[in-house]
Amino acid sequence: MYIPSSTYRIQTSSEFPLKKIESILNYLDTLGVSTIYSAPFFQASAGSTHGYDVVNPHQIGEGIGTEETMVAIAKELKSRNMSWLQDIVPNHMAFSVQNPWMKSVLELGSHSPYYSFFDIDWIREDDELYGKVMMPFLGSSPEEVLSHHELTLAYDEEGFYFKYYDNKFPLSAPSYYTLLDRQVESLRNQKASEEIVGRFLQVLATLEKWSTDEIPEHPAESWEQVKKDLFQLNADSKAVGKMIQQVLDETNRDLTTLKKLLAQQNFQLTYWKDTESRINYRRFFTVNDLICLNIQEPEVFQKYHRYIKELVDRGLVQGLRVDHIDGLFDPTQYLEQLRELVGPEVYLVVEKILEEKEKIPAKWPIQGTSGYEFLALVSQLFTQRKEKEKLAELYESVASDLPSYKDLVFQNKMFILLNRMNGELDNLMSLLKKLDIVPYQDTAEEDEKMRQALAHLLAAFPVYRVYSNQYPFSDPDMAIIGKAFTQAEKKAPSLSSYFQRLREIFNGVADRDEQQNENRLYFVMRCQQFTGPLAAKGVEDTTFYEYNLLISHNEVGDTPTVMGIKADVFHERAVSRPPHSINTTATHDTKRGEDARLRINFLSEIPEEWESHYQRWKDMNQVFLTEQAGKFWPDENDEYFLYQTLIGTYPLHITPEQDNYQERLMDYMVKAVREAKRNTSWSNPNEAYEKAVTTFVEKILNHAPFIEALTPFVTKVAEKASVYSLGQILLKVTLPGIPDVYQGTEFWDLSMVDPDNRRPVNYELRMNMLEDLRRQIKSDSLSLVKKLREDLINPALKLFTLHLCLQARRQRHEFFLEADYQPIRLEGEYSRNVIAFRRQYQDQQILVVVPRHVGDLPVEDGQFPLGEKAWGDTRLVLQENEAGTWTNIFTKEEVDLSKQNHISQILKEFFIAFLIKS
């Protein structure tokens, strides 16, 4: 198995295609990267910037590149001893006619070879959706759309379809006969030749079979052929063209005919908001245009992964990252199948959000996760625990109306379930009754109480989901289920008898009745496909924008109420990390940039100063608030969120990527307040509130007194947080795990949430700076270090650190895969302000020293945080084999730890230390 030394995440798309990746391979190799970690590069929806809306998993996207380019890249990577890690998306595809599988389903219904590929409930009690898939893509009700003539019948080389602005909805095969059955006479009236009429009659005869269910032996091929024949007739004969146009005109003029034609389709067009209350397909989270697959079915699994296997077998891809593993019906079975398919030598990681203390199932045949839990671990390390109460008091004065975080999470998950995923909840209730696995009186009152009990249980899950796929359930899963029931019953004690019935299903113990066992297990596993989306939407996409104690911890994998960790806890989690799991600090999904996060973390070290500035800014900018019905907009909670965002993202060192900051911040704040769902939302935008927010942002960023007050404070915070950024790099590279660099984060990463964190990267700027740094490192590394530390906001400081760390890691690849981890004890006045550890494999050793909580240090400007004045008598307590001479990779100096074990000596010239035993 090729285990990466490090990965570099690239948002591969038509804007950054394979040719551009090819052009930066030399730069990445020089930087120290071993593996390209690509976003999905398969054919996706037109204009996709992320690739998770795959329409064809059997080819590279047309705008992204060709196999020829991919082969050339693979050859180049191999020559550099590099590899390719590919992101794949087995949970869902684009719900679009651009997706040929979906187009086939819409046209052929149950006769399509892909009919069972998608997670659709075709057999509904709801007559309107019986035998149809809901297509919620209209901007208003179907009646309004039709009355405004926004939906019309059209025709092109792909066949007949309903046109709705840029959307195309193909007609079902039987409805073609309805349209064309009586058109022979029309053709003759158009003076069509007998040859054309004869060809048309042959087409019509085939269409008649589709209308009477006399389906040809090879339905898909036959259907494509008859459409092709019809279009060829259209091209060969003006009479046929006129006849088809006449059919279109007559149908579009008559709403009754149009409605009857709509009723014949394999889909039901609806208003997009209808999915908040009813739905008959599983979607990705609450995204209507991403439809989920039945990847648990062998045929679907094999068909979907055919090209992925080919890429692996041809040596074009050496690793796979599985997106949204928690959405699958049976993640364990899937990973076992995937491992069997691609073989034992392929590096496999999964996107998995682990809550605090949660572990990935030991039996999963993977190398680890995509690393959100690592991000949280490092962020907590650089947060001051002892000042939590002061920050909490300040935030209580800002948002006194908010419930506790735990209650807010539950409240928001219930809101999402009842107001955005109500259809999914109804579907689970229908399944519960259909499976007949619980004592049940089919009355409206009984229905509602059981529904409420199920809703409370789903919202109470403390993690994304459990993974047991057979009886008895594992002990960890039963512990999680037990916590969920305890929380649910606490929230709704009046439903205790209904919870007890549900416990009989979730008890994880087999019954004598095999059919009952099968049904109960199916229901539990089906429920788990919705607890994850519920957590994502209720917590990450709602609570994380509403609960603003310290927003740097409002991050995937982190816990906003946990404020800092002790050194011994950090070491325990570090040593228990899977050695081949990814260590990430920024992704395309993170809420803010890796360095913005650490800036905001620094507020935990200076709560009084932060409060003073906040109150001053609040008073200064009060004049820019918008008064509305006795309230001031933005409200104080959103204003508090904004000021923290400014501290994290305000650019001090301007690069081309920092252009348009005001516009970017305004767009971000609109997204943030919509996600919070307090004053506006995506579903029900409050344009007046959003205008008040963007106006406020514009006014304060152009208010000289505020900028004069903001800039020195942000500068102070940024300078101190820059030391944490360097420490974050060093920990990412040297702790157990595989370091990952998100595109462009070689420079300070002050980005906001997507799409802001997916902006183009200026690689020419980075290449030139890296070459300049390499020349200076070769000439005199110590002099370069002294120069770089004079400007703590210069991106060269971060690039220098990252480059040397990645190179040292790559040169010792086997060492880092095998080395053990040993915390090093510290003594002295500031021993709690340093993290130190040693890693050893055979006769090789490295030693790492990283400062934290530097706000505690008694240092003057220009001495931060170096030398004896900063660190006093703080020292490493070393074992005999840890003494001796070590080389500092940054300064190239030698350090004799038997004589120079004080932190002031180790961090004399640079802020962090990566020492290699000589």
PDB file of all heavy atoms in Angstrom, residues 151-174:
ATOM      1  N   LEU A 151     -44.225  26.815 -18.104  1.00  0.00           N
ATOM      2  CA  LEU A 151     -43.924  25.417 -18.429  1.00  0.00           C
ATOM      3  C   LEU A 151     -44.527  25.103 -19.791  1.00  0.00           C
ATOM      4  O   LEU A 151     -45.747  25.212 -19.971  1.00  0.00           O
ATOM      5  CB  LEU A 151     -44.499  24.485 -17.363  1.00  0.00           C
ATOM      6  CG  LEU A 151     -44.153  23.005 -17.515  1.00  0.00           C
ATOM      7  CD1 LEU A 151     -42.690  22.756 -17.116  1.00  0.00           C
ATOM      8  CD2 LEU A 151     -45.070  22.147 -16.636  1.00  0.00           C
ATOM      9  N   THR A 152     -43.685  24.738 -20.727  1.00  0.00           N
ATOM     10  CA  THR A 152     -44.179  24.476 -22.076  1.00  0.00           C
ATOM     11  C   THR A 152     -43.586  23.177 -22.612  1.00  0.00           C
ATOM     12  O   THR A 152     -42.545  22.712 -22.151  1.00  0.00           O
ATOM     13  CB  THR A 152     -43.794  25.624 -23.029  1.00  0.00           C
ATOM     14  OG1 THR A 152     -42.376  25.802 -22.999  1.00  0.00           O
ATOM     15  CG2 THR A 152     -44.479  26.918 -22.638  1.00  0.00           C
ATOM     16  N   LEU A 153     -44.278  22.612 -23.597  1.00  0.00           N
ATOM     17  CA  LEU A 153     -43.776  21.415 -24.269  1.00  0.00           C
ATOM     18  C   LEU A 153     -42.799  21.847 -25.361  1.00  0.00           C
ATOM     19  O   LEU A 153     -43.035  22.826 -26.067  1.00  0.00           O
ATOM     20  CB  LEU A 153     -44.942  20.642 -24.885  1.00  0.00           C
ATOM     21  CG  LEU A 153     -44.597  19.304 -25.544  1.00  0.00           C
ATOM     22  CD1 LEU A 153     -44.096  18.300 -24.491  1.00  0.00           C
ATOM     23  CD2 LEU A 153     -45.819  18.737 -26.270  1.00  0.00           C
ATOM     24  N   ALA A 154     -41.688  21.131 -25.468  1.00  0.00           N
ATOM     25  CA  ALA A 154     -40.672  21.464 -26.472  1.00  0.00           C
ATOM     26  C   ALA A 154     -40.102  20.174 -27.056  1.00  0.00           C
ATOM     27  O   ALA A 154     -40.371  19.068 -26.561  1.00  0.00           O
ATOM     28  CB  ALA A 154     -39.575  22.316 -25.842  1.00  0.00           C
ATOM     29  N   TYR A 155     -39.282  20.344 -28.106  1.00  0.00           N
ATOM     30  CA  TYR A 155     -38.707  19.176 -28.772  1.00  0.00           C
ATOM     31  C   TYR A 155     -37.324  19.520 -29.299  1.00  0.00           C
ATOM     32  O   TYR A 155     -37.081  20.630 -29.803  1.00  0.00           O
ATOM     33  CB  TYR A 155     -39.607  18.738 -29.931  1.00  0.00           C
ATOM     34  CG  TYR A 155     -39.090  17.518 -30.674  1.00  0.00           C
ATOM     35  CD1 TYR A 155     -39.240  16.242 -30.126  1.00  0.00           C
ATOM     36  CD2 TYR A 155     -38.416  17.652 -31.896  1.00  0.00           C
ATOM     37  CE1 TYR A 155     -38.737  15.128 -30.792  1.00  0.00           C
ATOM     38  CE2 TYR A 155     -37.934  16.544 -32.564  1.00  0.00           C
ATOM     39  CZ  TYR A 155     -38.087  15.275 -32.004  1.00  0.00           C
ATOM     40  OH  TYR A 155     -37.590  14.167 -32.658  1.00  0.00           O
ATOM     41  N   ASP A 156     -36.395  18.558 -29.160  1.00  0.00           N
ATOM     42  CA  ASP A 156     -35.080  18.695 -29.786  1.00  0.00           C
ATOM     43  C   ASP A 156     -34.524  17.295 -30.051  1.00  0.00           C
ATOM     44  O   ASP A 156     -35.272  16.310 -29.986  1.00  0.00           O
ATOM     45  CB  ASP A 156     -34.125  19.547 -28.940  1.00  0.00           C
ATOM     46  CG  ASP A 156     -33.805  18.940 -27.582  1.00  0.00           C
ATOM     47  OD1 ASP A 156     -34.025  17.718 -27.379  1.00  0.00           O
ATOM     48  OD2 ASP A 156     -33.317  19.676 -26.694  1.00  0.00           O
ATOM     49  N   GLU A 157     -33.260  17.177 -30.357  1.00  0.00           N
ATOM     50  CA  GLU A 157     -32.672  15.891 -30.726  1.00  0.00           C
ATOM     51  C   GLU A 157     -32.780  14.845 -29.622  1.00  0.00           C
ATOM     52  O   GLU A 157     -32.665  13.641 -29.880  1.00  0.00           O
ATOM     53  CB  GLU A 157     -31.203  16.073 -31.108  1.00  0.00           C
ATOM     54  CG  GLU A 157     -30.358  16.651 -29.997  1.00  0.00           C
ATOM     55  CD  GLU A 157     -28.945  16.970 -30.469  1.00  0.00           C
ATOM     56  OE1 GLU A 157     -28.370  16.138 -31.197  1.00  0.00           O
ATOM     57  OE2 GLU A 157     -28.439  18.043 -30.116  1.00  0.00           O
ATOM     58  N   GLU A 158     -32.991  15.264 -28.366  1.00  0.00           N
ATOM     59  CA  GLU A 158     -33.127  14.312 -27.272  1.00  0.00           C
ATOM     60  C   GLU A 158     -34.562  13.852 -27.081  1.00  0.00           C
ATOM     61  O   GLU A 158     -34.833  12.983 -26.249  1.00  0.00           O
ATOM     62  CB  GLU A 158     -32.595  14.923 -25.975  1.00  0.00           C
ATOM     63  CG  GLU A 158     -31.088  15.193 -26.014  1.00  0.00           C
ATOM     64  CD  GLU A 158     -30.568  15.776 -24.712  1.00  0.00           C
ATOM     65  OE1 GLU A 158     -31.373  15.928 -23.764  1.00  0.00           O
ATOM     66  OE2 GLU A 158     -29.367  16.074 -24.639  1.00  0.00           O
ATOM     67  N   GLY A 159     -35.499  14.457 -27.803  1.00  0.00           N
ATOM     68  CA  GLY A 159     -36.893  14.048 -27.714  1.00  0.00           C
ATOM     69  C   GLY A 159     -37.795  15.152 -27.194  1.00  0.00           C
ATOM     70  O   GLY A 159     -37.417  16.327 -27.118  1.00  0.00           O
ATOM     71  N   PHE A 160     -39.015  14.769 -26.843  1.00  0.00           N
ATOM     72  CA  PHE A 160     -39.977  15.719 -26.271  1.00  0.00           C
ATOM     73  C   PHE A 160     -39.655  15.947 -24.793  1.00  0.00           C
ATOM     74  O   PHE A 160     -39.251  15.011 -24.080  1.00  0.00           O
ATOM     75  CB  PHE A 160     -41.403  15.177 -26.389  1.00  0.00           C
ATOM     76  CG  PHE A 160     -41.972  15.244 -27.781  1.00  0.00           C
ATOM     77  CD1 PHE A 160     -42.023  14.105 -28.584  1.00  0.00           C
ATOM     78  CD2 PHE A 160     -42.450  16.447 -28.288  1.00  0.00           C
ATOM     79  CE1 PHE A 160     -42.545  14.155 -29.875  1.00  0.00           C
ATOM     80  CE2 PHE A 160     -42.990  16.507 -29.572  1.00  0.00           C
ATOM     81  CZ  PHE A 160     -43.023  15.356 -30.374  1.00  0.00           C
ATOM     82  N   TYR A 161     -39.874  17.166 -24.367  1.00  0.00           N
ATOM     83  CA  TYR A 161     -39.636  17.485 -22.953  1.00  0.00           C
ATOM     84  C   TYR A 161     -40.451  18.714 -22.549  1.00  0.00           C
ATOM     85  O   TYR A 161     -40.876  19.510 -23.397  1.00  0.00           O
ATOM     86  CB  TYR A 161     -38.145  17.727 -22.694  1.00  0.00           C
ATOM     87  CG  TYR A 161     -37.555  18.904 -23.460  1.00  0.00           C
ATOM     88  CD1 TYR A 161     -37.482  20.180 -22.892  1.00  0.00           C
ATOM     89  CD2 TYR A 161     -37.052  18.735 -24.752  1.00  0.00           C
ATOM     90  CE1 TYR A 161     -36.934  21.245 -23.595  1.00  0.00           C
ATOM     91  CE2 TYR A 161     -36.507  19.791 -25.463  1.00  0.00           C
ATOM     92  CZ  TYR A 161     -36.451  21.053 -24.872  1.00  0.00           C
ATOM     93  OH  TYR A 161     -35.916  22.109 -25.569  1.00  0.00           O
ATOM     94  N   PHE A 162     -40.661  18.815 -21.253  1.00  0.00           N
ATOM     95  CA  PHE A 162     -41.265  20.029 -20.702  1.00  0.00           C
ATOM     96  C   PHE A 162     -40.133  21.011 -20.401  1.00  0.00           C
ATOM     97  O   PHE A 162     -39.143  20.655 -19.751  1.00  0.00           O
ATOM     98  CB  PHE A 162     -42.046  19.730 -19.428  1.00  0.00           C
ATOM     99  CG  PHE A 162     -43.335  19.003 -19.666  1.00  0.00           C
ATOM    100  CD1 PHE A 162     -43.438  17.647 -19.409  1.00  0.00           C
ATOM    101  CD2 PHE A 162     -44.445  19.679 -20.157  1.00  0.00           C
ATOM    102  CE1 PHE A 162     -44.618  16.972 -19.637  1.00  0.00           C
ATOM    103  CE2 PHE A 162     -45.639  19.007 -20.385  1.00  0.00           C
ATOM    104  CZ  PHE A 162     -45.726  17.652 -20.123  1.00  0.00           C
ATOM    105  N   LYS A 163     -40.292  22.212 -20.875  1.00  0.00           N
ATOM    106  CA  LYS A 163     -39.270  23.244 -20.675  1.00  0.00           C
ATOM    107  C   LYS A 163     -39.724  24.205 -19.576  1.00  0.00           C
ATOM    108  O   LYS A 163     -40.839  24.732 -19.630  1.00  0.00           O
ATOM    109  CB  LYS A 163     -39.039  24.015 -21.977  1.00  0.00           C
ATOM    110  CG  LYS A 163     -37.906  25.036 -21.912  1.00  0.00           C
ATOM    111  CD  LYS A 163     -37.704  25.675 -23.286  1.00  0.00           C
ATOM    112  CE  LYS A 163     -36.487  26.580 -23.309  1.00  0.00           C
ATOM    113  NZ  LYS A 163     -36.583  27.700 -22.363  1.00  0.00           N
ATOM    114  N   TYR A 164     -38.856  24.395 -18.596  1.00  0.00           N
ATOM    115  CA  TYR A 164     -39.149  25.349 -17.516  1.00  0.00           C
ATOM    116  C   TYR A 164     -37.876  26.160 -17.296  1.00  0.00           C
ATOM    117  O   TYR A 164     -36.936  25.706 -16.657  1.00  0.00           O
ATOM    118  CB  TYR A 164     -39.556  24.596 -16.252  1.00  0.00           C
ATOM    119  CG  TYR A 164     -39.823  25.491 -15.047  1.00  0.00           C
ATOM    120  CD1 TYR A 164     -40.934  26.332 -15.018  1.00  0.00           C
ATOM    121  CD2 TYR A 164     -38.954  25.502 -13.951  1.00  0.00           C
ATOM    122  CE1 TYR A 164     -41.179  27.151 -13.921  1.00  0.00           C
ATOM    123  CE2 TYR A 164     -39.200  26.309 -12.852  1.00  0.00           C
ATOM    124  CZ  TYR A 164     -40.304  27.138 -12.843  1.00  0.00           C
ATOM    125  OH  TYR A 164     -40.542  27.951 -11.762  1.00  0.00           O
ATOM    126  N   TYR A 165     -37.850  27.339 -17.907  1.00  0.00           N
ATOM    127  CA  TYR A 165     -36.633  28.154 -17.922  1.00  0.00           C
ATOM    128  C   TYR A 165     -35.479  27.299 -18.461  1.00  0.00           C
ATOM    129  O   TYR A 165     -35.559  26.819 -19.574  1.00  0.00           O
ATOM    130  CB  TYR A 165     -36.359  28.755 -16.541  1.00  0.00           C
ATOM    131  CG  TYR A 165     -37.459  29.703 -16.107  1.00  0.00           C
ATOM    132  CD1 TYR A 165     -38.451  29.310 -15.215  1.00  0.00           C
ATOM    133  CD2 TYR A 165     -37.527  30.994 -16.632  1.00  0.00           C
ATOM    134  CE1 TYR A 165     -39.474  30.177 -14.855  1.00  0.00           C
ATOM    135  CE2 TYR A 165     -38.550  31.874 -16.268  1.00  0.00           C
ATOM    136  CZ  TYR A 165     -39.523  31.458 -15.392  1.00  0.00           C
ATOM    137  OH  TYR A 165     -40.527  32.317 -15.036  1.00  0.00           O
ATOM    138  N   ASP A 166     -34.423  27.095 -17.683  1.00  0.00           N
ATOM    139  CA  ASP A 166     -33.290  26.302 -18.172  1.00  0.00           C
ATOM    140  C   ASP A 166     -33.439  24.810 -17.885  1.00  0.00           C
ATOM    141  O   ASP A 166     -32.529  24.023 -18.187  1.00  0.00           O
ATOM    142  CB  ASP A 166     -31.977  26.804 -17.540  1.00  0.00           C
ATOM    143  CG  ASP A 166     -31.620  28.201 -18.006  1.00  0.00           C
ATOM    144  OD1 ASP A 166     -32.024  28.572 -19.125  1.00  0.00           O
ATOM    145  OD2 ASP A 166     -30.942  28.936 -17.258  1.00  0.00           O
ATOM    146  N   ASN A 167     -34.532  24.427 -17.279  1.00  0.00           N
ATOM    147  CA  ASN A 167     -34.743  23.025 -16.915  1.00  0.00           C
ATOM    148  C   ASN A 167     -35.474  22.274 -18.030  1.00  0.00           C
ATOM    149  O   ASN A 167     -36.354  22.822 -18.696  1.00  0.00           O
ATOM    150  CB  ASN A 167     -35.578  22.930 -15.629  1.00  0.00           C
ATOM    151  CG  ASN A 167     -34.851  23.536 -14.446  1.00  0.00           C
ATOM    152  OD1 ASN A 167     -33.920  22.963 -13.923  1.00  0.00           O
ATOM    153  ND2 ASN A 167     -35.296  24.714 -14.029  1.00  0.00           N
ATOM    154  N   LYS A 168     -35.090  20.993 -18.182  1.00  0.00           N
ATOM    155  CA  LYS A 168     -35.739  20.113 -19.157  1.00  0.00           C
ATOM    156  C   LYS A 168     -36.224  18.866 -18.425  1.00  0.00           C
ATOM    157  O   LYS A 168     -35.453  18.228 -17.704  1.00  0.00           O
ATOM    158  CB  LYS A 168     -34.757  19.726 -20.253  1.00  0.00           C
ATOM    159  CG  LYS A 168     -34.271  20.896 -21.089  1.00  0.00           C
ATOM    160  CD  LYS A 168     -33.137  20.484 -22.026  1.00  0.00           C
ATOM    161  CE  LYS A 168     -33.620  19.587 -23.142  1.00  0.00           C
ATOM    162  NZ  LYS A 168     -32.563  19.344 -24.157  1.00  0.00           N
ATOM    163  N   PHE A 169     -37.502  18.526 -18.618  1.00  0.00           N
ATOM    164  CA  PHE A 169     -38.079  17.339 -18.001  1.00  0.00           C
ATOM    165  C   PHE A 169     -38.606  16.433 -19.116  1.00  0.00           C
ATOM    166  O   PHE A 169     -39.626  16.727 -19.737  1.00  0.00           O
ATOM    167  CB  PHE A 169     -39.205  17.725 -17.044  1.00  0.00           C
ATOM    168  CG  PHE A 169     -38.795  18.745 -16.013  1.00  0.00           C
ATOM    169  CD1 PHE A 169     -39.263  20.053 -16.082  1.00  0.00           C
ATOM    170  CD2 PHE A 169     -37.930  18.414 -14.990  1.00  0.00           C
ATOM    171  CE1 PHE A 169     -38.882  20.999 -15.145  1.00  0.00           C
ATOM    172  CE2 PHE A 169     -37.549  19.349 -14.045  1.00  0.00           C
ATOM    173  CZ  PHE A 169     -38.020  20.653 -14.124  1.00  0.00           C
ATOM    174  N   PRO A 170     -37.904  15.327 -19.408  1.00  0.00           N
ATOM    175  CA  PRO A 170     -38.249  14.499 -20.565  1.00  0.00           C
ATOM    176  C   PRO A 170     -39.577  13.778 -20.403  1.00  0.00           C
ATOM    177  O   PRO A 170     -39.924  13.334 -19.310  1.00  0.00           O
ATOM    178  CB  PRO A 170     -37.086  13.506 -20.635  1.00  0.00           C
ATOM    179  CG  PRO A 170     -36.569  13.423 -19.236  1.00  0.00           C
ATOM    180  CD  PRO A 170     -36.754  14.795 -18.652  1.00  0.00           C
ATOM    181  N   LEU A 171     -40.282  13.639 -21.513  1.00  0.00           N
ATOM    182  CA  LEU A 171     -41.567  12.940 -21.494  1.00  0.00           C
ATOM    183  C   LEU A 171     -41.365  11.437 -21.370  1.00  0.00           C
ATOM    184  O   LEU A 171     -40.368  10.884 -21.849  1.00  0.00           O
ATOM    185  CB  LEU A 171     -42.339  13.230 -22.787  1.00  0.00           C
ATOM    186  CG  LEU A 171     -43.398  14.346 -22.675  1.00  0.00           C
ATOM    187  CD1 LEU A 171     -42.726  15.664 -22.362  1.00  0.00           C
ATOM    188  CD2 LEU A 171     -44.207  14.436 -23.973  1.00  0.00           C
ATOM    189  N   SER A 172     -42.326  10.791 -20.748  1.00  0.00           N
ATOM    190  CA  SER A 172     -42.303   9.333 -20.654  1.00  0.00           C
ATOM    191  C   SER A 172     -42.544   8.734 -22.032  1.00  0.00           C
ATOM    192  O   SER A 172     -43.190   9.346 -22.901  1.00  0.00           O
ATOM    193  CB  SER A 172     -43.381   8.853 -19.685  1.00  0.00           C
ATOM    194  OG  SER A 172     -44.669   9.145 -20.210  1.00  0.00           O
ATOM    195  N   ALA A 173     -42.049   7.535 -22.220  1.00  0.00           N
ATOM    196  CA  ALA A 173     -42.197   6.868 -23.514  1.00  0.00           C
ATOM    197  C   ALA A 173     -43.664   6.737 -23.959  1.00  0.00           C
ATOM    198  O   ALA A 173     -43.994   7.032 -25.123  1.00  0.00           O
ATOM    199  CB  ALA A 173     -41.526   5.498 -23.458  1.00  0.00           C
ATOM    200  N   PRO A 174     -44.578   6.302 -23.054  1.00  0.00           N
ATOM    201  CA  PRO A 174     -45.967   6.153 -23.514  1.00  0.00           C
ATOM    202  C   PRO A 174     -46.612   7.447 -23.978  1.00  0.00           C
ATOM    203  O   PRO A 174     -47.514   7.422 -24.837  1.00  0.00           O
ATOM    204  CB  PRO A 174     -46.685   5.610 -22.258  1.00  0.00           C
ATOM    205  CG  PRO A 174     -45.603   4.947 -21.458  1.00  0.00           C
ATOM    206  CD  PRO A 174     -44.398   5.796 -21.674  1.00  0.00           C
TER     207      PRO A 174
END
